[in-house]
mmCIF file of all heavy atoms in Angstrom:
data_model
loop_
_atom_site.group_PDB
_atom_site.id
_atom_site.type_symbol
_atom_site.label_atom_id
_atom_site.label_comp_id
_atom_site.label_asym_id
_atom_site.label_seq_id
_atom_site.Cartn_x
_atom_site.Cartn_y
_atom_site.Cartn_z
ATOM 1 N N LYS W 250 3.552 -0.427 15.990
ATOM 2 C CA LYS W 250 4.453 -0.714 14.858
ATOM 3 C C LYS W 250 3.914 -1.897 14.043
ATOM 4 O O LYS W 250 3.860 -1.893 12.872
ATOM 5 C CB LYS W 250 5.924 -0.908 15.327
ATOM 6 C CG LYS W 250 6.849 -1.006 14.060
ATOM 7 C CD LYS W 250 8.253 -0.932 14.573
ATOM 8 C CE LYS W 250 8.879 -2.251 14.830
ATOM 9 N NZ LYS W 250 10.281 -2.278 15.077
ATOM 10 N N ARG W 251 3.633 -2.989 14.783
ATOM 11 C CA ARG W 251 3.138 -4.181 14.070
ATOM 12 C C ARG W 251 1.923 -3.859 13.395
ATOM 13 O O ARG W 251 1.709 -4.430 12.242
ATOM 14 C CB ARG W 251 2.856 -5.167 15.061
ATOM 15 C CG ARG W 251 4.122 -5.981 15.668
ATOM 16 C CD ARG W 251 3.833 -7.112 16.423
ATOM 17 N NE ARG W 251 2.819 -6.938 17.516
ATOM 18 C CZ ARG W 251 3.165 -6.670 18.786
ATOM 19 N NH1 ARG W 251 4.313 -6.554 19.118
ATOM 20 N NH2 ARG W 251 2.222 -6.617 19.695
ATOM 21 N N ILE W 252 1.030 -3.021 13.895
ATOM 22 C CA ILE W 252 -0.245 -2.680 13.148
ATOM 23 C C ILE W 252 0.085 -1.917 12.036
ATOM 24 O O ILE W 252 -0.545 -2.006 10.892
ATOM 25 C CB ILE W 252 -1.218 -2.061 14.127
ATOM 26 C CG1 ILE W 252 -1.734 -2.954 15.218
ATOM 27 C CG2 ILE W 252 -2.365 -1.413 13.302
ATOM 28 C CD1 ILE W 252 -2.521 -2.420 16.283
ATOM 29 N N ALA W 253 0.954 -0.885 12.141
ATOM 30 C CA ALA W 253 1.427 -0.112 11.050
ATOM 31 C C ALA W 253 2.039 -0.733 9.923
ATOM 32 O O ALA W 253 1.774 -0.578 8.683
ATOM 33 C CB ALA W 253 2.317 1.086 11.540
ATOM 34 N N ILE W 254 2.870 -1.839 10.227
ATOM 35 C CA ILE W 254 3.456 -2.653 9.167
ATOM 36 C C ILE W 254 2.261 -3.421 8.494
ATOM 37 O O ILE W 254 2.353 -3.609 7.301
ATOM 38 C CB ILE W 254 4.430 -3.522 9.811
ATOM 39 C CG1 ILE W 254 5.646 -2.695 10.205
ATOM 40 C CG2 ILE W 254 4.865 -4.646 8.877
ATOM 41 C CD1 ILE W 254 6.591 -3.599 11.088
ATOM 42 N N LEU W 255 1.364 -3.992 9.220
ATOM 43 C CA LEU W 255 0.207 -4.728 8.547
ATOM 44 C C LEU W 255 -0.597 -3.861 7.492
ATOM 45 O O LEU W 255 -0.810 -4.258 6.388
ATOM 46 C CB LEU W 255 -0.831 -5.117 9.665
ATOM 47 C CG LEU W 255 -1.992 -5.706 9.082
ATOM 48 C CD1 LEU W 255 -1.831 -7.176 8.821
ATOM 49 C CD2 LEU W 255 -3.190 -5.611 10.136
ATOM 50 N N VAL W 256 -0.835 -2.640 7.844
ATOM 51 C CA VAL W 256 -1.484 -1.698 7.031
ATOM 52 C C VAL W 256 -0.499 -1.363 5.781
ATOM 53 O O VAL W 256 -1.028 -1.491 4.677
ATOM 54 C CB VAL W 256 -1.871 -0.383 7.619
ATOM 55 C CG1 VAL W 256 -2.436 0.564 6.698
ATOM 56 C CG2 VAL W 256 -3.011 -0.554 8.732
ATOM 57 N N THR W 257 0.634 -1.110 5.993
ATOM 58 C CA THR W 257 1.583 -0.721 4.862
ATOM 59 C C THR W 257 1.746 -1.982 3.902
ATOM 60 O O THR W 257 1.755 -1.843 2.746
ATOM 61 C CB THR W 257 2.903 -0.159 5.426
ATOM 62 O OG1 THR W 257 3.489 -0.981 6.247
ATOM 63 C CG2 THR W 257 2.677 1.303 5.905
ATOM 64 N N MET W 258 2.004 -3.111 4.588
ATOM 65 C CA MET W 258 2.129 -4.319 3.735
ATOM 66 C C MET W 258 0.907 -4.543 2.832
ATOM 67 O O MET W 258 1.051 -5.035 1.893
ATOM 68 C CB MET W 258 2.486 -5.608 4.664
ATOM 69 C CG MET W 258 3.921 -5.417 5.219
ATOM 70 S SD MET W 258 5.259 -5.091 4.008
ATOM 71 C CE MET W 258 5.169 -6.558 3.098
ATOM 72 N N ASN W 259 -0.249 -4.362 3.485
ATOM 73 C CA ASN W 259 -1.517 -4.577 2.656
ATOM 74 C C ASN W 259 -1.550 -3.629 1.450
ATOM 75 O O ASN W 259 -1.865 -3.978 0.331
ATOM 76 C CB ASN W 259 -2.735 -4.382 3.545
ATOM 77 C CG ASN W 259 -3.973 -4.684 2.765
ATOM 78 O OD1 ASN W 259 -4.212 -5.732 2.138
ATOM 79 N ND2 ASN W 259 -4.921 -3.753 2.773
ATOM 80 N N ILE W 260 -1.142 -2.373 1.673
ATOM 81 C CA ILE W 260 -1.217 -1.350 0.524
ATOM 82 C C ILE W 260 -0.075 -1.708 -0.445
ATOM 83 O O ILE W 260 -0.198 -1.640 -1.757
ATOM 84 C CB ILE W 260 -0.945 0.002 1.014
ATOM 85 C CG1 ILE W 260 -2.294 0.408 1.950
ATOM 86 C CG2 ILE W 260 -0.916 0.987 -0.047
ATOM 87 C CD1 ILE W 260 -2.067 1.756 2.655
ATOM 88 N N ILE W 261 1.061 -2.180 -0.014
ATOM 89 C CA ILE W 261 2.125 -2.547 -0.872
ATOM 90 C C ILE W 261 1.864 -3.799 -1.660
ATOM 91 O O ILE W 261 2.118 -3.759 -2.921
ATOM 92 C CB ILE W 261 3.527 -2.727 -0.096
ATOM 93 C CG1 ILE W 261 3.992 -1.407 0.376
ATOM 94 C CG2 ILE W 261 4.566 -3.431 -0.956
ATOM 95 C CD1 ILE W 261 5.089 -1.444 1.454
ATOM 96 N N THR W 262 1.160 -4.683 -0.997
ATOM 97 C CA THR W 262 0.726 -5.937 -1.763
ATOM 98 C C THR W 262 -0.238 -5.518 -2.910
ATOM 99 O O THR W 262 -0.208 -6.065 -4.098
ATOM 100 C CB THR W 262 0.071 -6.916 -0.908
ATOM 101 O OG1 THR W 262 0.953 -7.345 0.159
ATOM 102 C CG2 THR W 262 -0.479 -8.157 -1.569
ATOM 103 N N ASN W 263 -1.189 -4.665 -2.694
ATOM 104 C CA ASN W 263 -2.133 -4.128 -3.644
ATOM 105 C C ASN W 263 -1.351 -3.399 -4.700
ATOM 106 O O ASN W 263 -1.634 -3.439 -5.939
ATOM 107 C CB ASN W 263 -3.196 -3.295 -3.132
ATOM 108 C CG ASN W 263 -4.221 -4.185 -2.389
ATOM 109 O OD1 ASN W 263 -4.318 -5.310 -2.519
ATOM 110 N ND2 ASN W 263 -5.053 -3.519 -1.480
ATOM 111 N N ALA W 264 -0.322 -2.636 -4.425
ATOM 112 C CA ALA W 264 0.423 -1.873 -5.374
ATOM 113 C C ALA W 264 1.272 -2.870 -6.270
ATOM 114 O O ALA W 264 1.278 -2.678 -7.514
ATOM 115 C CB ALA W 264 1.487 -1.000 -4.713
ATOM 116 N N ILE W 265 1.823 -3.895 -5.718
ATOM 117 C CA ILE W 265 2.435 -4.962 -6.510
ATOM 118 C C ILE W 265 1.487 -5.605 -7.570
ATOM 119 O O ILE W 265 1.790 -5.771 -8.640
ATOM 120 C CB ILE W 265 3.090 -5.998 -5.633
ATOM 121 C CG1 ILE W 265 4.217 -5.424 -4.944
ATOM 122 C CG2 ILE W 265 3.602 -7.314 -6.415
ATOM 123 C CD1 ILE W 265 4.858 -6.352 -3.778
ATOM 124 N N ASN W 266 0.206 -5.882 -7.041
ATOM 125 C CA ASN W 266 -0.800 -6.452 -7.908
ATOM 126 C C ASN W 266 -1.121 -5.465 -9.084
ATOM 127 O O ASN W 266 -1.330 -5.953 -10.218
ATOM 128 C CB ASN W 266 -2.102 -6.809 -7.090
ATOM 129 C CG ASN W 266 -1.926 -8.007 -6.180
ATOM 130 O OD1 ASN W 266 -0.989 -8.727 -6.344
ATOM 131 N ND2 ASN W 266 -2.771 -7.951 -5.185
ATOM 132 N N ALA W 267 -1.229 -4.213 -8.747
ATOM 133 C CA ALA W 267 -1.503 -3.220 -9.810
ATOM 134 C C ALA W 267 -0.261 -3.109 -10.766
ATOM 135 O O ALA W 267 -0.576 -3.023 -12.145
ATOM 136 C CB ALA W 267 -1.731 -1.828 -9.140
ATOM 137 N N LEU W 268 0.890 -3.162 -10.279
ATOM 138 C CA LEU W 268 2.061 -3.185 -11.222
ATOM 139 C C LEU W 268 2.064 -4.485 -12.146
ATOM 140 O O LEU W 268 2.322 -4.447 -13.288
ATOM 141 C CB LEU W 268 3.367 -3.089 -10.539
ATOM 142 C CG LEU W 268 3.649 -1.810 -9.750
ATOM 143 C CD1 LEU W 268 4.917 -1.898 -9.037
ATOM 144 C CD2 LEU W 268 3.669 -0.653 -10.607
ATOM 145 N N GLU W 269 1.757 -5.657 -11.481
ATOM 146 C CA GLU W 269 1.638 -6.805 -12.253
ATOM 147 C C GLU W 269 0.525 -6.817 -13.321
ATOM 148 O O GLU W 269 0.854 -7.183 -14.421
ATOM 149 C CB GLU W 269 1.276 -7.959 -11.181
ATOM 150 C CG GLU W 269 1.273 -9.291 -11.886
ATOM 151 C CD GLU W 269 1.044 -10.413 -10.800
ATOM 152 O OE1 GLU W 269 0.244 -10.214 -9.831
ATOM 153 O OE2 GLU W 269 1.697 -11.458 -10.765
#
Side-chain angles (χ1 to χ4, degrees):
K250 186 170 89 169
R251 285 192 306 268
I252 293 171
I254 292 170
L255 174 80
V256 171
T257 56
M258 290 305 295
N259 182 52
I260 294 170
I261 291 168
T262 299
N263 286 343
I265 291 169
N266 291 338
L268 294 178
E269 184 178 40

